[in-house]
Amino acid sequence: MKRDVPYKTYLAENEIPTQWYNVRADMKNKPAPLLNPGTLEPMKAEELYPVFCEELVKQELDNDTPFFDIPQEILDFYYMYRPSPLVRAYFLEKALDTPAKIYYKFEGNNTSGSHKLNSAIAQAYYAKKQGLKGVTTETGAGQWGTALSMACAYFDLDCQVYMVKCSYEQKPFRREVMRTYGAKVTPSPSMTTQIGQKILKEHPGTTGSLGCAISEAVEVAVGSEGYRYVLGSVLSQVLLHQSVIGLEAKAAFDKLGVKPDMIIGCAGGGSNLGGLISPFMGEKLRGEADYQIIAIEPASCPSLTRGKYAYDFCDTGMVCPLAKMYTLGSDFIPSANHAGGLRYHGMSSILSQLYDDGLMEARSVEQTSVFEAATQFARVEGILPAPESSHAIRAAIDEALKCKETGEEKTILFGLTGTGYFDLVAYEKYNEGSMSDYIPTDADLEKSLSKLPKVDK
Amino acid sequence: MKRDVPYKTYLAENEIPTQWYNVRADMKNKPAPLLNPGTLEPMKAEELYPVFCEELVKQELDNDTPFFDIPQEILDFYYMYRPSPLVRAYFLEKALDTPAKIYYKFEGNNTSGSHKLNSAIAQAYYAKKQGLKGVTTETGAGQWGTALSMACAYFDLDCQVYMVKCSYEQKPFRREVMRTYGAKVTPSPSMTTQIGQKILKEHPGTTGSLGCAISEAVEVAVGSEGYRYVLGSVLSQVLLHQSVIGLEAKAAFDKLGVKPDMIIGCAGGGSNLGGLISPFMGEKLRGEADYQIIAIEPASCPSLTRGKYAYDFCDTGMVCPLAKMYTLGSDFIPSANHAGGLRYHGMSSILSQLYDDGLMEARSVEQTSVFEAATQFARVEGILPAPESSHAIRAAIDEALKCKETGEEKTILFGLTGTGYFDLVAYEKYNEGSMSDYIPTDADLEKSLSKLPKVDK
């Protein structure tokens, strides 16, 4: 096979970025501030300290500092599984017979199976540095919980994970990986919290929800000496940590002397997409370069393409601050969708603002077409992709096929966030032809959007 | 963390070996030839052609050619997931507080989750080149079947996998990965073969065995136009293909200016160990260097440490050629042992001869101590290891702890063959404290060894 660049490009260890990039510093329109759900005033740092680690609160609220040094302890851990490769998808290009040049940044080569580890290790580090005993969190699909368990094992921190009960029961292997890394995994709702007890009393037999698990994790963090709550997506601090993906990708492209025309990423809460596009968006914001940037979301949970840009609750329990974001309403419950990591009702404030400013596009894709792309990709590129990542694959294939029609030699970069080793129930459904698509009706969305909180900002 | 070499060393794509190394060429005492089970005469190439691809038969019988060019089509596929990293286990060294320098060659970063892909792609290539329609094989734990499915998908070959029924039922996810890559997976014994029908009639309700699955796969290959049988371990051709592991490791060490003192690998049929040690053993055989080489096997299936060096059947159905090897008897059934890839009753003829000549050592380790090592490794090095690979981890840790006592700064290399993502039932047992050890009694072994075929060679 003729190759003008290597199939995989790895940076050397001393080329791994030593600073995170904060895209907010280059945004003319900053993301709207978090609001106190009681006073509807912007949250002050002190109000967030009982919930989040202090250093992370500072990162969360900082719209101005362009670069943050990555502490050496985090860099050491990064060396364990980074650099991740920038892969030229020669085999996929050949299968599609396209003139497009397709690249992907692959974040799945670690035990968490996804990019989540990039932020987990940062959040665990700051918790350790603050002298905490441990952290609490929630997990749905389980990638974030696994990543946090690994990070906490490394820093010898206690890790308490509230796992949505239906996932806990359907994904015993995910739970077992977390236990192997020493985490305490509790199916949510549980009797260990007041909110859990309340929900179980009102809805006996419920299999839980992400919103409920968040509420339990926050309750335990706030109520326990030496604990804080951590979150794997949506927050601006998470996008800051995930900027390592984009910075590495950009450094690898620079080494190859290549510039992508188009950057595609799947979008749930926005952690992967926000991280991948950060340095490219920075260039775009500063007028140094232009890129077409596309967020891909599931048609079953289309916050950017069909949601409303408004203040909303981050959790169904309504205990967290309000965030201004593209949202379907915190009441929105996406139906059967195997891309568990893309089921969040809202979108990162940073990405919401960039989208609202016309700096990026968004599209939604349907589940069966996503698995069709996933299977095609697996067979030619060898990697079994996570359902979440496969949303980006679908769009990249579609774009490459457009190039085939027009003859354009576009250079496409997409984020391959993770592997699908723990998603084989979904693959089984697809292989057996029993997978279906679901698109919420306008009435569904009107209903959940009608319950947005009234905020004049 | 202070590092005198990088945490991970990747060769560049143009440094990946372009030839396999055949260690038999440098062996003074060649491995004993395969025998025809009917005549007890050495198998001729023509006799093997109905079962195996012609090019592979030539590789199997060639004790003299030191190097074989790797065809470009196979190299292209290697680029998809190779080079694999040579990792310096700084975090493990720190946790053990040892002066030893520990390295591991990690083969798990591909969807098959193990080194098996190295030989699968070679065997699929030669089948395709010969114009075949497809191949058949058996799989126990599922790593080999997955690897072969991936290779066949790449070359558009039909792939029929007979999966031991108990694994088929206990590991539905492995099965599903194979199906995603287009393989046809049949639980064995099945009604699709005469031998399967016979066994089901005699033992209704049996959950199958590797020996039976081999017999079914061979029957289908021999009886179907355009099909051949392929095998993932034991055979000399497999060790040839797997030499890419050792060649890459050696090239990486040479780049670093480091020479290992000790090389450790787990041993089931011998594919990983044989591949890893090949070039080092070559130097040892040629008197150019010396290395301590140690095979690690499970105490529950101790072919090298407690078996007999004799001709034996390769399968329980006794349809395959006889091989001279360290064996526990083809009748030996290892009891509950989660390292499914290390349950074979015999050992590669090449490794058996090298061991018999005193060129390598062997040790056996017990399952619970293996999972203890696996868990410790996972927590500090981030990778969740396969149970098979964890046998090598156990021994490497033990050697590093000896160095701590003696103060020696030995350089240890071990093979980390794969990941444990599909072995979480075993991890669960270990986490819950319900895992037990099993060591066959002398009487058990006498019984199975008493049935060795009578061969005067």
Side-chain angles (χ1 to χ4, degrees), chain A residues 273-307:
Chain A
L273 181 69
L276 177 67
I277 68 172
S278 276
F280 302 99
M281 183 60 85
E283 289 190 313
K284 191 167 174 169
L285 288 164
R286 296 189 302 271
E288 297 164 6
D290 196 19
Y291 302 96
Q292 187 180 5
I293 294 173
I294 313 173
I296 311 296
E297 54 186 15
S300 58
C301 192
S303 54
L304 286 173
T305 50
R306 297 177 68 197

Side-chain angles (χ1 to χ4, degrees), chain A residues 3 13 111 180 379 382 431, chain B residues 3 13 111 176 180 379 382:
Chain A
R3 290 169 296 140
E13 250 164 51
T111 296
T180 299
R379 291 190 187 182
N431 290 335
Chain B
R3 290 168 297 140
E13 250 165 49
T111 296
E176 215 49 47
T180 299
R379 290 189 187 182

Side-chain angles (χ1 to χ4, degrees), chain A residues 166-226:
Chain A
C166 64
S167 293
Y168 182 91
E169 284 162 3
Q170 284 170 11
K171 296 197 172 192
F173 293 167
R174 272 278 178 213
R175 180 191 74 204
E176 215 48 48
V177 180
M178 290 185 252
R179 290 216 305 181
T180 299
Y181 282 91
K184 186 176 160 204
V185 187
T186 307
S188 167
S190 74
M191 294 300 282
T192 65
T193 63
Q194 290 182 351
I195 182 89
Q197 290 168 21
K198 180 164 175 276
I199 290 172
L200 283 171
K201 197 171 169 189
E202 286 169 10
H203 306 92
T206 176
T207 57
S209 73
L210 208 53
C212 167
I214 294 178
S215 302
E216 289 201 86
V218 171
E219 181 184 321
V220 172
V222 173
S224 310
E225 183 71 29

Side-chain angles (χ1 to χ4, degrees), chain B residues 226-350:
Chain B
Y227 281 77
R228 292 296 183 279
Y229 168 70
V230 296
L231 182 64
S233 190
V234 184
L235 297 175
S236 298
Q237 60 184 270
V238 175
L239 269 70
L240 176 70
H241 307 147
Q242 295 294 358
S243 69
V244 70
I245 305 173
L247 291 164
E248 264 191 15
K250 180 130 196 355
F253 272 125
D254 288 347
K255 269 185 108 161
L256 298 175
V258 172
K259 186 183 159 298
D261 298 302
M262 183 183 286
I263 304 166
I264 296 171
C266 63
S271 67
N272 141 66
L273 181 69
L276 177 67
I277 68 172
S278 277
F280 301 99
M281 183 60 84
E283 288 190 312
K284 190 167 174 168
L285 289 164
R286 295 189 303 271
E288 297 165 7
D290 196 19
Y291 303 97
Q292 187 181 6
I293 295 174
I294 313 174
I296 312 296
E297 53 187 17
S300 59
C301 192
S303 55
L304 286 173
T305 50
R306 297 179 67 200
K308 203 172 153 185
Y309 190 34
Y311 267 104
D312 196 6
F313 296 102
C314 291
D315 61 323
T316 39
M318 305 181 184
V319 297
C320 296
L322 300 184
K324 190 173 178 188
M325 55 186 179
Y326 275 86
T327 179
L328 300 167
S330 64
D331 225 30
F332 179 77
I333 296 171
S335 87
N337 178 347
H338 293 291
L342 303 179
R343 302 190 60 184
Y344 190 62
H345 67 277
M347 180 60 64
S348 138
S349 292
I350 294 176

Side-chain angles (χ1 to χ4, degrees), chain A residues 177-396:
Chain A
V177 180
M178 290 185 252
R179 290 216 305 181
T180 299
Y181 282 91
K184 186 176 160 204
V185 187
T186 307
S188 167
S190 74
M191 294 300 282
T192 65
T193 63
Q194 290 182 351
I195 182 89
Q197 290 168 21
K198 180 164 175 276
I199 290 172
L200 283 171
K201 197 171 169 189
E202 286 169 10
H203 306 92
T206 176
T207 57
S209 73
L210 208 53
C212 167
I214 294 178
S215 302
E216 289 201 86
V218 171
E219 181 184 321
V220 172
V222 173
S224 310
E225 183 71 29
Y227 282 77
R228 292 295 183 281
Y229 168 72
V230 296
L231 181 64
S233 191
V234 185
L235 297 175
S236 297
Q237 60 184 270
V238 175
L239 269 70
L240 176 70
H241 306 148
Q242 295 293 0
S243 69
V244 71
I245 306 173
L247 291 164
E248 264 192 15
K250 181 132 194 353
F253 272 125
D254 288 348
K255 268 183 108 162
L256 298 174
V258 171
K259 186 183 159 297
D261 298 303
M262 182 183 288
I263 303 166
I264 297 170
C266 63
S271 66
N272 143 67
L273 181 69
L276 177 67
I277 68 172
S278 276
F280 302 99
M281 183 60 85
E283 289 190 313
K284 191 167 174 169
L285 288 164
R286 296 189 302 271
E288 297 164 6
D290 196 19
Y291 302 96
Q292 187 180 5
I293 294 173
I294 313 173
I296 311 296
E297 54 186 15
S300 58
C301 192
S303 54
L304 286 173
T305 50
R306 297 177 68 197
K308 203 172 154 184
Y309 191 32
Y311 268 104
D312 196 5
F313 296 101
C314 291
D315 61 324
T316 40
M318 304 181 183
V319 297
C320 295
L322 300 185
K324 189 172 178 188
M325 54 187 179
Y326 274 85
T327 180
L328 299 167
S330 64
D331 223 30
F332 179 77
I333 296 171
S335 89
N337 179 345
H338 294 288
L342 304 179
R343 302 187 62 181
Y344 190 65
H345 66 276
M347 181 59 64
S348 138
S349 292
I350 294 175
L351 293 182
S352 292
Q353 185 63 47
L354 290 168
Y355 178 61
D356 204 57
D357 287 340
L359 290 156
M360 55 180 254
E361 305 165 29
R363 295 179 196 163
S364 73
V365 289
E366 292 181 31
Q367 182 165 242
T368 49
S369 76
V370 165
F371 273 85
E372 185 195 357
T375 302
Q376 179 174 22
F377 181 83
R379 291 190 187 182
V380 297
E381 288 285 324
I383 297 168
L384 188 80
E388 292 84 355
S389 326
S390 303
H391 287 69
I393 297 175
R394 173 74 274 163

